[in-house]
Amino acid sequence: VQVKGRGRYGRVWVSQEGGLWMTGLFEKKGEYDGFKFMFGSALVVYKILLHMGINARIKFPNDVYYKDKKLCGILAEERENLIAVGIGLNVNQKEPPVPSSTTLYLITGKTYDLEFLAYNIGKGLMEIDRKSIGEVVREYRENLSTIGKTVKIFTPSGAIEGTFEDLDMDLNVILRGDVIYVIPAFEVLHLEEYEG
């Protein structure tokens, strides 16, 4: 368990017994490594879950969902020349940590070996470390479920609504509303999805 688990921008992250709470520490080698690990970590968890037969999805920028419930959150933080990649995956809890979340146990009725999951996630993160930002963004975009969704994006200068059209290779969100908005990914404080 964690007693002071947190997500992006200091949000509370409930870290109960039965979940997987892990951090990988990597040397920062490039300017965009924070984004590489944020997007890449979501991709790693997503692919492992798919391999386990769980039809998860990636929600921009760094969450893994099952249907409309949050299953995994990721926090990539930079300190000097290091990047700490925190991953919180709800696994064996028999109740959702918060109403908007779910766990692997609640989805499948099975319990899972946390060490096995941690090993495979760690292995995936080491593969991300060896890839370029371009490789990671391309694969992330191919598997991003937010594309085509109606969203509200919260930025430091206000909220914008529209259709999430793409994440380009310059790390800009392309949003179609009354006009086309090009929003740098680092300005996205929060994103809400809507059906429609």
Side-chain angles (χ1 to χ4, degrees):
V1 301
Q2 294 179 118
V3 293
K4 292 184 180 178
R6 61 187 173 84
R8 291 178 81 211
Y9 307 108
R11 295 187 192 105
V12 173
W13 180 267
V14 180
S15 314
Q16 302 162 322
E17 187 173 352
L20 175 61
W21 325 116
M22 61 184 287
T23 301
L25 197 60
F26 295 89
E27 182 184 353
K28 183 178 179 180
K29 300 166 189 162
E31 181 182 356
Y32 299 107
D33 274 5
F35 280 106
K36 182 175 86 167
F37 279 104
M38 184 169 71
F39 297 148
S41 301
L43 193 57
V44 165
V45 173
Y46 164 78
K47 287 165 70 175
I48 288 170
L49 293 175
L50 279 189
H51 187 71
M52 292 164 57
I54 296 159
N55 191 24
R57 65 185 188 88
I58 301 173
K59 178 191 166 200
F60 185 86
N62 59 338
D63 292 325
V64 180
Y65 270 60
Y66 178 77
K67 297 182 178 175
D68 62 343
K69 301 286 188 181
K70 188 167 177 175
L71 192 53
C72 176
I74 288 151
L75 181 64
E77 291 188 311
E78 299 181 27
R79 291 284 186 276
E80 297 174 2
N81 66 330
L82 296 173
I83 296 176
V85 185
I87 295 177
L89 177 61
N90 296 325
V91 184
N92 294 326
Q93 306 100 306
K94 293 181 169 53
E95 292 184 4
V98 295
S100 58
S101 67
T102 190
T103 73
L104 295 183
Y105 176 83
L106 291 173
I107 294 166
T108 67
K110 301 175 186 174
T111 56
Y112 296 87
D113 183 334
L114 297 181
E115 287 189 19
F116 177 78
L117 284 169
Y119 171 81
N120 282 289
I121 291 171
K123 189 175 165 187
L125 291 178
M126 289 167 70
E127 289 171 9
I128 295 296
D129 188 37
R130 290 190 286 270
K131 292 183 177 181
S132 69
I133 179 70
E135 289 175 286
V136 171
V137 170
R138 271 190 291 275
E139 190 175 359
Y140 174 84
R141 283 167 65 200
E142 288 169 8
N143 295 284
L144 180 60
S145 72
T146 309
I147 291 176
K149 293 263 174 67
T150 302
V151 300
K152 180 185 279 190
I153 289 178
F154 296 86
T155 74
S157 54
I160 309 167
E161 292 188 46
T163 302
F164 192 113
E165 294 230 320
D166 200 5
L167 172 70
D168 70 19
M169 295 305 291
D170 293 320
L171 303 181
N172 295 308
V173 172
I174 311 301
L175 192 72
R176 181 181 293 276
D178 300 333
V179 295
I180 301 290
Y181 297 95
V182 179
I183 306 164
F186 68 84
E187 288 191 4
V188 178
L189 303 176
H190 180 63
L191 179 145
E192 292 177 359
E193 289 181 352
Y194 305 95
E195 294 301 327

